[in-house]
Amino acid sequence: MSFLKRMFGGGEDPMARGERLFSEGQLGPAKLAFEQALDRAKEAAEREAIAERIDACLDALARGHVREAQRLLAAGELDFARQELMSALELGVSDEVRADARRVADGLERGDAVEHAAEEEISDEERWVLLSGAWDDAQAEEYAEYGEDFERALLAVHAGRHAEGRPALEAILEDAEAPRYLWLELGRARLLDGDREGGREALVEFVESLAEDERGMPLLAAYVELARLADEDGEHEEAVGFYEQAIEDFDDDPRPYLLFGHYLRQHELFGDAVDVLEAGAQLLDDLRPDITYMQELGLAFADAGRDAEAIAELERVISVLTSRAQVDFPPEGTERLAQLHEKNGAPERAADLYASLARGSDVQSHFRYHREAGRLLAELGLAEDARRMLTRALALAPDDETRDAVEQRIAALG
């Protein structure tokens, strides 16, 4: 890919290249350049100074994840916000950055701000702070030009008063001299108001209006939304085009690869999903693994029939979490890993994984996890352990039919 040349940059001194890329905001390639410089450095003082620059890259990347999480929270995208905060906590080095990520994460777990807003537990002033805290500098500068009318309109949209907020944004657009980010907000407002075509048009206007130095996270969010809309309308080639454009514009960021890989996997293009995810994996930090990315790659391997690679990747997820004293494993990847182990002749490991899931936070699936663990333990001849798991499953059985089936399995244990 053409971006590899820019990342590894010919004969330029890696330290100088790292500083240049850092100043340009290309944090992933900057970190790679500093790491290359660290490999060449001999003196302890020099190595320490370079290590500090690597840490600065990681902190800057983590701050970007926190800002994106705040934006996603404001939009009500809790799952994606959690992923961003997990990445921030994995990347962050300094206590200050990690504390910021933890503060936002704790707030999310207490209940998202949008939900509180709907219950009128948050003031417009607090809502505005939440929204504005996620904006890029250029975005904030443009919005400041529109004054209080814009603030009232945006607050109305995010409070669910679309019929009030959207016309106000449309009126502001008519008088705006060089709108850019305003198109983004108007696109969201139109979509929330049920105007899909108008929303798409506004988002396209936003994408086309940005200068080269304004290509930040709002642009990535627009690409993803446009891809979603195109896919819903059956325009799959257009959806793929938006993902490919996102990868081209954000070639130092693994997130477009993650999103595109997930899209391809959902459309059963498993080989293509693996190719995309493996390409993006080159941008990940091996010292601070991205659990979400690893799981998606493992699932893509599994869907593509590459069992050994799927098991290795999904086991990496378990290993990383265990090393952090975290035992609440991600349900989708862990259950798929259990299925792969059973398929490939390791029922003991499969039973262990189901038992772990049965102790996890996915309480809605606890019946299935207990039942599957009990089934495998019974097949392994571990009657007492199987009885314990099946008895717990019996207490969680959702209906008489499944309850009868579990009782039969318990009876068969003797």
Side-chain angles (χ1 to χ4, degrees), residues 10-225:
E12 186 179 2
D13 174 72
M15 193 67 189
R17 183 168 71 254
E19 294 294 356
R20 173 177 58 79
L21 291 168
F22 188 90
S23 67
E24 294 172 357
Q26 299 186 50
L27 301 173
K31 185 179 74 68
L32 292 175
F34 287 136
E35 288 171 346
Q36 186 179 0
L38 184 63
D39 289 339
R40 298 182 182 183
K42 304 298 184 184
E43 299 295 329
E46 181 184 8
R47 291 181 61 82
E48 183 178 352
I50 297 173
E52 289 178 356
R53 299 303 293 148
I54 293 173
D55 287 350
C57 289
L58 292 169
D59 275 345
L61 287 166
R63 289 189 184 95
H65 284 296
V66 172
R67 288 195 298 271
E68 178 65 1
Q70 290 173 316
R71 186 195 69 76
L72 290 165
L73 275 173
E77 298 286 352
L78 300 192
D79 289 339
F80 283 118
R82 284 190 178 93
Q83 293 174 12
E84 294 294 334
L85 292 167
M86 182 180 293
S87 295
L89 289 166
E90 290 168 357
L91 290 169
V93 177
S94 69
D95 291 341
E96 178 185 358
V97 170
R98 290 182 61 80
D100 284 345
R102 176 52 59 194
R103 173 180 53 78
V104 178
D106 288 346
L108 185 155
E109 298 305 332
R110 287 193 300 269
D112 70 286
V114 173
E115 179 182 354
H116 286 181
E119 297 170 358
E120 299 182 356
E121 293 180 5
I122 184 172
S123 67
D124 278 350
E125 181 179 353
E126 291 169 326
R127 192 197 309 273
W128 184 254
V129 170
L130 177 66
L131 292 170
S132 60
W135 294 338
D136 286 359
D137 290 343
Q139 189 177 9
E141 289 175 8
E142 178 182 337
Y143 291 169
E145 297 174 2
Y146 302 136
E148 294 182 359
D149 288 344
F150 173 79
E151 180 176 341
R152 285 192 292 269
L154 197 61
L155 286 172
V157 169
H158 282 272
R161 303 192 304 275
H162 311 136
E164 173 188 342
R166 174 188 170 176
L169 290 174
E170 301 275 11
I172 294 170
L173 178 68
E174 292 181 3
D175 296 328
E177 295 183 1
R180 300 181 316 285
Y181 294 93
L182 180 57
W183 282 113
L184 174 64
E185 302 298 348
L186 184 56
R188 290 168 172 166
R190 287 175 176 176
L191 290 172
L192 290 169
D193 200 31
D195 182 3
R196 288 173 53 83
E197 188 60 33
R200 288 181 69 167
E201 290 176 357
L203 291 175
V204 170
E205 288 283 354
F206 165 65
V207 169
E208 295 178 347
S209 71
L210 292 182
E212 194 69 31
D213 60 352
E214 293 175 329
R215 295 183 176 274
M217 287 303 102
L219 176 61
L220 179 56
Y223 279 139
V224 172
E225 184 65 15

Side-chain angles (χ1 to χ4, degrees), residues 258-276:
L258 172 63
L259 295 166
F260 189 23
H262 180 75
Y263 172 85
L264 292 169
R265 189 169 69 83
Q266 296 302 111
H267 285 74
E268 300 185 357
L269 299 169
F270 303 132
D272 292 334
V274 168
D275 290 343
V276 167

Side-chain angles (χ1 to χ4, degrees), residues 336-387:
R336 191 65 177 276
L337 179 59
Q339 294 167 352
L340 288 167
H341 275 304
E342 181 178 4
K343 173 186 174 184
N344 287 275
E348 302 92 340
R349 180 58 176 154
D352 180 56
L353 290 167
Y354 279 122
S356 295
L357 288 170
R359 297 188 295 269
S361 58
D362 183 20
V363 295
Q364 292 184 338
S365 301
H366 273 194
F367 164 73
R368 184 173 73 254
Y369 299 148
H370 281 95
R371 182 192 62 194
E372 292 302 293
R375 175 183 63 81
L376 287 165
L377 289 166
E379 292 174 2
L380 289 166
L382 301 171
E384 287 307 312
D385 291 332
R387 186 183 303 279

